[in-house]
């Protein structure tokens, strides 16, 4: 009964627009008042413990590194570099778009940042080159989903915080699914562009130009490569590698690209504080919620029900995918992770799913939620850039989103896709 | 709306609070980044590791989270779902007033309970630095007191002209969801 009231209060607070963090806190407080007001004393302690984690310092530092790279004129350089990569197959801006998103994902760790930063340059450039606006926007939003899957990934850090899984192994678990999405989207874009004759005629590029473009791009690509390798091989912790990434971004921005100003640095610091704190306060209040779920033994109840009902793991995994897609459609990524993991992870473990595989399934599934209405953040950002309605953008992105759904199914039913690389690195 | 005595008093107070918090947060993130960089240098180059540095950096991170969340109320950076975006202005104001009242109620509970919590366990010294934990725990009541002030200002803003914060980061408006700069939206 208390639990039902708590969920009703949570729903009510969310509907009237109370920030998700405070909605979780409010619902938890109501539960405690009903159960035993003595528990209220644990509220500040739990919120505190939710933010008291040295590993998660990596999150604001990755955000800061991404912000600095963004303000250093990275976007244009990445597009030029991606164009250089697709030259041998005579690919056009559609393919450049997908490749740039794959690389940018490794730098920002965020899909919304990807749509916002790359989209504002890619969409107008593609339209200018003769691509239809719908196609240009569709590829942009769909390919941006890789931002939160390809490591380093901010949602993966959140998942690591809740599940206790190794950050390095989680990064590796997300790498192959992210690359698979990139490859399928790339192939689809290539096929559609070739069929419609959208591929450009390339002018000759001199060696000097080619060298400069390759150098600028490779310098940016080095950052995610270093992060993934250093964390996965256990050379540095996630926080340490994030700090080195910040230093690297500063050197690149100030001394190599020479486009970063002190003013930009201060803005990036402030923006990082706001982005990180709005996530962390949700994390803090979720601890109250997680504690209540544990006290009420909700995950055990669900697991017992599912095991007792004789449902096959196959059906449970299909249900998992549908649930993630459904919840991701209505809720933002962070609250989804913070709410779903404490309930679903113990259940899925009982059905034989590894925590790394579950993390990969969750992140791949929730990334799709970013490009589905009504709460598709990437759709909303793209809508501001191109002016098309959210439904029009969704329709244009649908063929590419199907690539994501296929990869989600593969990740769910083929454990090796997410577990092979972490296993390889011990 | 005409300027009232209330807005003449509140506007400069809010402006100072916004500025102080924004500068404080900028410094905190700068400290956090440079602190972790320094500890990496000490650990890998000079082979020195200080147990207290990890603890202090975590405290800086916690402070960023609590004070950033408080300023987030003022700058409307928190992630929330807005079902009433297309409703009339009057309905939107009413719903927002109810929502902010709920935030105030929640913040009051956390504020009061955090003082009790500090009284009970605040004297325990932290393991690495030896500083009483209560010193750090003070972030909770202070930040939630600021949350209460900002939430009240948000409600008052419906009745008297209050200026928007000048400290707000540049951001992209995300349609039906009140969330800026991808705040929490990876």
């Amino acid at each position: 009964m208390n639990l039902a009231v708590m969920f009703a209060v949570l729903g009510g607070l969310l509907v009237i627009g109370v920030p998700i963090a405070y909605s979780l806190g409010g619902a938890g407080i109501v539960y405690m008042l009903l159960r035993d007001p003595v528990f209220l004393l644990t509220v500040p302690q739990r919120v505190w413990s939710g933010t008291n984690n040295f590993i998660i310092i990596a999150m604001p530092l990755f955000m800061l590194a991404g912000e600095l790279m963004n303000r250093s004129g990275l976007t244009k350089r990445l597009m030029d570099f991606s164009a250089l990569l697709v030259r041998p197959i005579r690919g056009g801006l559609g393919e450049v778009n997908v490749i740039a998103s794959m690389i940018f994902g490794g730098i920002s760790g965020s899909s919304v940042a990807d749509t916002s930063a790359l989209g504002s340059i890619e969409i107008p450039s593609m339209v200018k080159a003769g691509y239809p606006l719908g196609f240009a926007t569709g590829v942009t939003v769909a390919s941006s989903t890789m931002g939160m899957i390809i490591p380093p990934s901010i949602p993966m850090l959140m998942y690591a915080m809740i599940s206790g899984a190794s950050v390095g192994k989680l990064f590796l678990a997300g790498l192959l699914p992210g690359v698979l999405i990139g490859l399928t989207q790339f192939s689809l874009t290539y096929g559609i562009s070739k069929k419609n004759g959208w591929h450009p005629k390339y002018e000759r590029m001199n060696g000097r130009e080619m060298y400069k473009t390759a150098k600028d791009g490779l310098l940016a690509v080095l950052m995610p490569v270093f992060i993934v390798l250093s964390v996965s091989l256990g050379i540095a912790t996630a926080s340490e590698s994030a700090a080195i990434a910040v230093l690297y971004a500063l050197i690149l921005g100030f001394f190599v690209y020479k486009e970063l100003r002190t003013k930009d640095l201060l803005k990036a610091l402030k923006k990082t504080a706001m982005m990180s704190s709005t996530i962390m306060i949700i994390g803090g209040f979720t601890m109250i919620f997680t504690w209540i779920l544990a006290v009420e033994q909700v995950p055990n109840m669900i697991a017992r029900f599912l095991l007792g009902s004789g449902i096959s793991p196959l059906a449970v995994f299909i249900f998992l995918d549908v649930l993630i897609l459904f919840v991701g459609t209505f809720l933002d990524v962070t609250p989804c992770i913070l709410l779903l993991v404490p309930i679903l992870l113990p259940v899925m473990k009982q059905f034989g799913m590894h925590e790394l595989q579950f993390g990969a399934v969750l992140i791949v599934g929730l990334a799709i939620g970013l490009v589905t209405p009504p709460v598709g953040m990437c759709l909303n950002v793209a809508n501001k850039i191109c002016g098309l309605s959210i439904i029009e953008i969704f329709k244009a992105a649908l063929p590419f989103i199907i690539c994501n759904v296929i990869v989600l199914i593969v990740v769910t039913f083929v454990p090796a896709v997410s577990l092979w690389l972490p296993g390889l690195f011990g | 709306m005409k300027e009232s005595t209330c807005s003449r008093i509140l506007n400069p107070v809010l402006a100072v609070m916004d500025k102080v918090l924004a500068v404080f947060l900028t410094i905190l993130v700068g400290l956090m980044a440079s602190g972790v960089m320094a500890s990496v240098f000490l650990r890998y180059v000079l082979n020195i590791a200080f147990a207290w540095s990890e603890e202090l950096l975590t405290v800086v991170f916690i402070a960023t989270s609590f004070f950033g969340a408080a300023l987030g109320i003022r700058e409307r950076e928190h992630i929330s779902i807005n079902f009433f975006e297309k409703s009339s202005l009057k309905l939107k104001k009413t719903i927002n007033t109810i929502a902010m009242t709920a935030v105030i109620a929640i913040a009051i509970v956390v504020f009061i309970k955090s003082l009790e919590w500090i009284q009970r366990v605040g004297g325990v010294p932290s393991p690495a630095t030896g500083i009483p934990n209560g010193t750090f725990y003070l972030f909770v009541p202070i930040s939630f007191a600021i949350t209460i002030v900002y939430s009240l200002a948000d409600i008052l803003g419906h009745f008297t002209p209050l200026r928007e914060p000048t400290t707000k980061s540049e951001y992209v408006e995300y349609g039906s969801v009140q969330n800026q700069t991808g705040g929490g939206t990876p």
Side-chain angles (χ1 to χ4, degrees), chain A residues 7 179 207 237-238 301 359 386 397 407:
Chain A
F7 278 110
V179 172
T237 65
M301 274 183 341
C386 74
V407 173

Side-chain angles (χ1 to χ4, degrees), chain A residues 9-319:
Chain A
V9 171
L10 175 66
L13 291 173
L14 287 173
V15 166
I16 61 167
V18 173
I20 291 169
Y22 300 93
S23 297
L24 288 166
I29 287 169
V30 168
Y31 170 90
M32 287 171 175
L33 280 171
L34 292 172
R35 174 104 191 231
D36 186 348
V38 170
F39 288 136
L40 285 175
L41 192 62
T42 65
V43 170
Q45 180 208 334
R46 290 193 190 285
V47 180
W48 177 274
S49 69
T51 57
N52 187 5
N53 188 334
F54 183 70
I55 299 292
I56 206 74
I57 288 183
M59 181 186 67
L61 298 183
F62 280 136
M63 286 174 169
L64 181 60
E67 268 296 307
L68 293 170
M69 291 291 267
N70 229 346
R71 289 167 193 267
S72 306
L74 172 81
T75 316
K76 179 77 180 63
R77 288 179 172 88
L78 267 190
M79 281 191 65
D80 291 343
F81 178 62
S82 307
L84 192 67
L85 292 180
V86 302
R87 251 180 116 85
I89 57 155
R90 310 195 68 75
L93 281 178
E95 291 83 352
V96 167
N97 196 321
V98 179
I99 298 277
S101 286
M102 283 177 86
I103 304 171
F104 195 87
I107 293 164
S108 74
S110 155
S111 295
V112 178
D114 185 325
T115 314
S116 173
L118 290 177
S120 54
I121 292 184
E122 285 171 345
I123 297 172
S125 307
M126 283 179 76
V127 171
K128 205 174 159 191
Y131 289 87
L133 178 60
F135 181 81
T137 315
V139 183
T140 303
V141 290
S143 63
S144 68
T145 54
M146 285 182 282
M148 61 176 261
I149 303 169
I150 290 183
S153 151
I154 291 163
M156 285 283 192
L157 281 170
M158 298 305 295
Y159 177 78
M161 184 179 93
I162 302 285
S163 67
S166 146
V167 176
K169 287 186 176 176
L170 269 171
F171 281 178
L172 289 173
L175 184 58
L176 209 51
V179 172
L180 276 178
I181 293 172
L183 288 176
T184 47
Q185 289 189 349
F186 185 90
S187 309
L188 184 63
T189 310
Y190 187 80
I192 296 173
S193 302
K194 192 166 186 184
K195 190 179 160 203
N196 291 289
W198 290 333
H199 283 147
K201 286 194 175 71
Y202 278 100
E203 287 167 18
R204 276 189 67 84
M205 199 175 184
N206 65 41
R208 198 188 163 93
E209 258 181 295
M210 220 179 258
Y211 168 75
K212 192 183 177 309
T213 309
K215 189 194 82 182
D216 279 357
L218 282 173
L219 281 173
V221 175
L222 266 181
M223 189 171 101
V225 171
F226 164 77
I227 292 169
V228 175
L229 284 180
S230 62
V231 177
S232 308
L233 294 172
I235 298 166
T237 65
S239 322
E240 288 170 345
S241 96
I244 297 168
V246 171
L247 182 66
Y248 183 73
L250 285 171
I251 294 170
L252 220 57
F254 278 118
F255 305 109
V256 182
Y257 293 164
K258 294 179 183 170
E259 288 190 30
L260 196 65
R261 303 279 172 269
T262 313
K263 189 177 68 180
D264 297 319
L265 171 63
L266 295 177
K267 277 184 183 171
L269 289 170
K270 160 75 181 2
K271 196 170 159 187
T272 301
M274 300 314 290
M275 287 196 292
S276 147
S277 60
T278 47
I279 291 180
M280 284 318 297
I281 202 70
I282 298 178
F285 276 114
T286 305
M287 286 299 149
I288 302 173
F289 217 71
T290 310
W291 176 76
I292 293 169
L293 293 176
V295 166
E296 294 281 348
Q297 298 196 324
V298 175
N300 283 347
M301 274 183 341
I302 297 172
R304 270 204 306 271
F305 168 75
L306 290 173
L307 287 167
S309 61
I311 301 171
S312 69
L314 189 84
V316 173
F317 292 170
I318 293 171
F319 171 73

